[in-house]
Amino acid sequence: MDLNDTPEQAAYRIQVREWLGEHREEAPPLRAPEGDEEAYLAARRTWQGKLAEGGLAGVVWPKELGGQGLGPIEQVIVNQEIGDAGVPGILDVIGVGMLGPTLIAHGSDEQKNRHLGPMLHGDEVWCQLFSEPAAGSDLAGVQSRAKLGDDGRWTLNGQKVWTTNAQFSSYGLLLARTDADVPKHKGLSMFIVDMNAPGVTTRGLRQISGEAEFNEVFFDDVVLEGDAVVGGVGNGWGTALTTLMFERLTIGLGSEGLGYRADRFAAPIAADPNARVDPDVRKRLGEIAADLLALRFTAYRTLTALQGGQIPGPESALAKVTTVNAAIAATDLIADVVGPEALDESSEWAYAISFLPGLKSAGGTEEILRNTVGERVLGLPPEPRLDKGIPFSELRAKERSATA
Amino acid sequence: MDLNDTPEQAAYRIQVREWLGEHREEAPPLRAPEGDEEAYLAARRTWQGKLAEGGLAGVVWPKELGGQGLGPIEQVIVNQEIGDAGVPGILDVIGVGMLGPTLIAHGSDEQKNRHLGPMLHGDEVWCQLFSEPAAGSDLAGVQSRAKLGDDGRWTLNGQKVWTTNAQFSSYGLLLARTDADVPKHKGLSMFIVDMNAPGVTTRGLRQISGEAEFNEVFFDDVVLEGDAVVGGVGNGWGTALTTLMFERLTIGLGSEGLGYRADRFAAPIAADPNARVDPDVRKRLGEIAADLLALRFTAYRTLTALQGGQIPGPESALAKVTTVNAAIAATDLIADVVGPEALDESSEWAYAISFLPGLKSAGGTEEILRNTVGERVLGLPPEPRLDKGIPFSELRAKERSATA
Amino acid sequence: MNLSLSDEQEFLREAARGALSRFDTIAAAREALEGGELPDLWPTASEAGWAGLLVCEEHGGAGLHPFDAMLVLVECGRVLAPVPLIGHLPASWLLDRGGYADIEAVASGAKRAVLVPAQPPSDLSDLWTWEAEAGKARVPAGDTTQVAHWVVDAPGAEVFVVVGPGGAVSVVEGASVESAARYDATRSLGHVSLVGGTSTRLDVDPADAANAWHLAQTLIAAESVGTVETCLEMAVAYAKERFTFGRAIGSYQAMKHQLVEILRVLENSRSLLYYAGWAGESKPEEFALAASAARSVSGRALDSATRINIAVHGGIGATWEHDGPLFFRRAQLSRRLLGGTGAATDRVAGELLSSAGA
Amino acid sequence: MNLSLSDEQEFLREAARGALSRFDTIAAAREALEGGELPDLWPTASEAGWAGLLVCEEHGGAGLHPFDAMLVLVECGRVLAPVPLIGHLPASWLLDRGGYADIEAVASGAKRAVLVPAQPPSDLSDLWTWEAEAGKARVPAGDTTQVAHWVVDAPGAEVFVVVGPGGAVSVVEGASVESAARYDATRSLGHVSLVGGTSTRLDVDPADAANAWHLAQTLIAAESVGTVETCLEMAVAYAKERFTFGRAIGSYQAMKHQLVEILRVLENSRSLLYYAGWAGESKPEEFALAASAARSVSGRALDSATRINIAVHGGIGATWEHDGPLFFRRAQLSRRLLGGTGAATDRVAGELLSSAGA
């Protein structure tokens, strides 16, 4: 049991640290200055380009595609050193972490050559266009339709939702239905979509807090070239599963607890002389903190597994359940201790209290995560499926009649 | 809003109280003296007979069948006065409260004439033979088999479980399968079974606490006369639903919280000067107590509904969920406060801690209760049923092959 | 024994629902978060006779009981209607008992009153206390402290009924109020400075001052019950019409059991409103226990119901356009006002421990 | 970075599982509730080298680390094996550090030692304390108090390593033990009277006395993890084979999600065993925090897992013949020993608040 680097890893860490030492002055600040988001985005893109040139982006991408051809531990070392240097990481985590690897696995040579370079360098940011208003948990139920015309081009109509970064993305990877007359998993295809094409509209989706954390994206008769398909027509579901696997990996390698650290929550309580000696407050804080501390070593265990060549399984989703619920309990506790002042709109706690209910469903509801883990990890039998083998078009008709 | 009696109710209450004042000296103690259970049971039977003669048993039974022909409020008045007088109530609550009313509703005249009198007077105690090891939540899945012979008599084989009072019952009301080749709800019939017949074996079923709160009952080639069927061959499910409805009614009229009263739990905490000022202890006690206090008025609301001619719906089951969970939380709290001494086998708290996990499942698991309330009260759609319309014999075969 | 509503109570409830339905209070709640105006419901409340609900008939009121007031508050809670009754009703009740000269104006609604409440002593402390500006401690009522914080319904009130040291009650006119809206724009809230106001002692018993506190607890409890009712209705409706994997989501146990959990805590809360109503009218020695229990259970119900409602709606339930977040905001602030759900729960324990120790 | 078990650790674990499998400890746990004899596992433990696991090699031990001891305790917990290591191991570790003369006999298992532990001071109190006989308070360690209550593994021990006032450590031989079995017959427990024993001061730092307390916390945490593992396996197996309404009960969300909840808290508990093991070996300043967190999470996991296991089994899970109740009894007692899960949770908070306040 050892939390230290191997000699090779230590050498790599020094190399990364040296590069950061030389270039940290060129980095933009961690957060955008008030009212200057445009310029800040541009600076973040430039910085991503520098990181890519320095070999600190696409660490696990193959060398021939502009990456470093290294392993997940090296990626974590880069993440840690970037964190310690107090500079931002790459802007396009979704592209480089999840969508690029999907293209690498399923894309054509032309697609890789055209897109991977600008993605890696931050010249073109990408977004993930999977979820829809009626297809969240049941992702294979997407209704966005792409129709093949006689000219070999596709016409896309539909709506996506919960799309991070759509407002400044150049491209999106989009899951659409290309055949409604086969069972739902079988009629899907994956497309590359130019976010600046005519017919694409992006609208910010405001959350409880009032901030627009996500976007809705609308497609009205958007024309896609025949070569926009990734991984073959009708193979969209398999391609999507690859993306989701890389999503889990990105989460598994993420920093502990999405920034919800035990010490952050302890600070406002330590500041209140009544609260810090109150047995009820201490019990609540102790339980929350112990849960969050566990996640730190859960991440190390995941890394150990990765080093051994294992891919993190769906059980890593349980860390998200623990994180979100602990963070909810922690912000509740803090508001109980601080009182209504903690609910002032300018308070970081009010923001977290607003943000967390949505986070509970983001990336799959807690219920769906528990189903998946129960079935895939514990081997429990699935629920009876009413949609098995039924053509998608009939499914929708059935639902409409049931709620009519 | 009035918790007082109407003038008629007040008059009835005085009448009941006077009878109890005259006869309370004849009552046995509330609990059996150590090591003298046999004699105590006999005394309880005699006392039930006296209550019946005084009109304090079978309050809601029709007059012509030995009852008083009164309403549920009068039943509650009797319960309250018996409680206040510090004497035990009737011994055979299950017979008089649930099984007798089922016979009244579905039995033949001969069955009523033969059985209701001795049941009401405690001469013959009854037990309910519904649940089986493989048919608890899914009661319609009973496997006990009754076969009709050429001589018009039935031969019964099978096993029942969770049977209260079986060890001293004269008769039982038993749900058995009489046709395995039709869907499961349709092949059931209800029987009156002589518990002293050859082939009936009763065995105490010990709980966590070490006490035998329930019994298992085995039937080996037990012969039942043709007239033992209640409510017609193949109508067993409908008859059973009547019993379950009276079960809910009995619970709805029961005393608040199955004896788990807030003040009982407060006593040991009040006795500890550290605990009684500890904010965490107080919060836990306050939450538990508030929940239990609610049930007192839930019972009054149920009574109000009964007076208005309504039958309590499945939502009354939620009171059981609240009670059991509050009692578990309360005994936990007390053991935390008192320490390991609370877990001494002689402690009332150790007994409750042992008893409560079983109570969680008794009378239907919490999960089944929540399903029922969700569907019948909130109108939520049921889960897909895999056993609909399939003959019972094929169902069992399917299960066996699935687990083989 | 009969807990049915009387015909008058049924009428009161229906009338309240009808009167409030003339305003789109939920849309207003959202707009107010961005600076929109809330509708002024006080004329409606006055017209309906709610202002004088607890003032005796000879002083121009309706002479009704706490339970009747709770029925109105349930309706307010259902639609997040900003009617300042939690402040006004206990104040009017104290003014009535204390022989306040201008009581008829208070009963008619011409003068709006507000209770500047103090939490009565408990088995742990013999102090009367006010809400602290921030932090977990409370501050001694009145005297040296001249600013009462987080007073519900203070903005716009004319008559301040202030509970001070020892439960002494004064009428202050001319107090200044700093509005202190936080997170839930429908909750009128202010810091009340008593400096510069004219104060007149009101001749009421400290026991009445304590009952005014408990009365406020029952009203915020009732309001919570109404909000929980709406959350349950919203969530159940959505669970029936939203499909996933070919089934309505309400058919899944994980959803169904959460919805039933709302029903369970709602039923428990309702039962405790009856308890508090009955005790308030017929069993004064149990009013503190009953009111505290009602606040405790309904406060926790409000928190879980507003969260479950969002979760049942999935991602969409956490968006600005959805109504779920408005109810959630209500819950987050409500549970921390008037001592918070926590103080009420503590008092339930304290009442029981005192009895058990006696 | 590498948290995999070394080959030696894998071997230690497999060997422990193998050695314990030669006894039917679960059946013995049931029989012992009715006065049956428990198997004496000390010879097995000594032979396997567990007695000297934490004693350095030059004193006849294996010179291993807390994490290795935890691996053995997980195996004990899996089958409710009554091996008195929670008392012996921290005692042996202190004896080794303090230069106890007869350490080789302790390391070989020829002499069984027990820690009479004291809870070290916290941010709230600078007292070292012992378990009270009953009630929520704790009592100051040693000095005037001459009886230590609820000492784990005291019955049958020869060498008592007593932590007294200020964290001073003494070796007492000839103390008398009143056995105090409660509820879980597999848990060796006693009240230790120091009157009449001969006491020798052991030359160790109070920091070591504190670490002995934390070490005991990690061992009871590890034991809990093993018990949770078994409960999860039992419950999952039953959920696959038990059918209701034509489906295996494990296919219902209400069951499935509860089983996943056991997995979730089990995984968190396991991670904290790693944290405690790592801190115990390489990060002493975090050992108190890590050990307390491990105890807190695994103690709560033990409680919920044993309850869910019973609930998944339905009525049958609450019967005497079933194994579920034996695990439940273990949980009910364990969570109230060695300060209880509560004191560990409080210490987690205390450690964080001290750091935040500094």
Side-chain angles (χ1 to χ4, degrees), chain D residues 198-242:
Chain D
T198 61
S199 173
T200 321
R201 187 66 182 268
L202 198 65
D203 182 26
V204 291
D205 206 76
D208 288 331
N211 281 334
W213 171 268
H214 300 312
L215 182 56
Q217 301 292 322
T218 65
L219 299 180
I220 199 168
E223 190 194 60
S224 301
V225 165
T227 306
V228 174
E229 281 179 3
T230 305
C231 287
L232 179 59
E233 290 163 14
M234 280 173 71
V236 165
Y238 188 75
K240 288 178 184 172
E241 77 188 28
R242 169 81 180 184

Side-chain angles (χ1 to χ4, degrees), chain D residues 284-345:
Chain D
E285 67 273 25
E286 290 185 28
F287 189 48
L289 177 64
S292 304
R295 173 84 199 274
S296 173
V297 172
S298 66
R300 289 180 279 137
L302 179 62
D303 185 48
S304 65
T306 56
R307 288 184 190 281
I308 292 172
N309 184 34
I310 288 177
V312 166
H313 281 84
I316 202 76
T319 55
W320 185 262
E321 285 85 358
H322 198 268
D323 290 345
L326 299 170
F327 293 93
F328 176 76
R329 284 175 175 264
R330 163 62 63 96
Q332 290 305 310
L333 184 61
S334 268
R335 58 193 272 223
R336 284 151 185 137
L337 297 176
L338 287 165
T341 310
T345 306

Side-chain angles (χ1 to χ4, degrees), chain A residues 265-352:
Chain A
F265 297 126
I269 293 163
D272 182 322
N274 296 291
R276 68 179 295 157
V277 299
D278 181 304
D280 172 50
V281 171
R282 292 167 67 92
K283 178 168 118 177
R284 291 163 71 187
L285 175 64
E287 291 187 352
I288 293 159
D291 281 357
L292 291 174
L293 288 168
L295 297 182
R296 187 170 142 205
F297 276 75
T298 299
Y300 294 150
R301 290 169 63 201
T302 303
L303 271 174
T304 300
L306 278 167
Q307 253 178 313
Q310 294 166 268
I311 297 287
E315 68 275 17
S316 55
L318 295 177
K320 190 212 146 197
V321 173
T322 297
T323 304
V324 174
N325 289 325
I328 287 174
T331 49
D332 260 6
L333 171 61
I334 289 168
D336 282 347
V337 165
V338 175
E341 210 57 277
L343 295 169
D344 188 76
E345 292 299 336
S346 68
S347 151
E348 68 173 307
W349 307 118
Y351 178 78

Side-chain angles (χ1 to χ4, degrees), chain C residues 2 39 44 47 110 135 277 285 301 309 313 321 328 330 355:
Chain C
N2 183 3
T44 303
E47 206 176 300
E285 67 271 27
N309 184 36
H313 282 84
E321 285 85 358
F328 176 76
R330 164 61 64 94
S355 310

Side-chain angles (χ1 to χ4, degrees), chain C residues 44-103:
Chain C
T44 303
S46 305
E47 206 176 300
W50 301 341
L53 213 60
L54 299 183
V55 173
C56 64
E57 288 178 275
E58 49 273 37
H59 293 148
L64 294 179
H65 298 286
F67 190 72
D68 305 292
M70 289 184 228
L71 292 176
V72 174
L73 265 297
V74 169
E75 296 307 316
C76 295
R78 285 182 61 88
V79 293
L80 304 178
V83 193
L85 292 169
I86 295 174
H88 178 85
L89 286 173
S92 73
W93 180 81
L94 277 177
L95 290 167
D96 188 23
R97 291 182 84 88
Y100 177 65
D102 209 6
I103 184 68

Side-chain angles (χ1 to χ4, degrees), chain B residues 259-276:
Chain B
Y260 295 117
R261 292 172 51 104
D263 50 359
R264 177 178 161 203
F265 296 127
I269 293 163
D272 182 321
N274 296 292
R276 69 179 295 157

Side-chain angles (χ1 to χ4, degrees), chain A residues 2 4 298 307 322 375, chain D residues 1-2 123 256-257 264 271:
Chain A
D2 189 1
N4 298 325
T298 299
Q307 253 178 313
T322 297
E375 288 156 30
Chain D
M1 160 154 2
N2 181 5
D123 63 320
K256 189 175 288 172
H257 293 187
R264 186 182 73 83
S271 290

Side-chain angles (χ1 to χ4, degrees), chain B residues 11 85 129 218:
Chain B
L129 298 160
F218 301 87

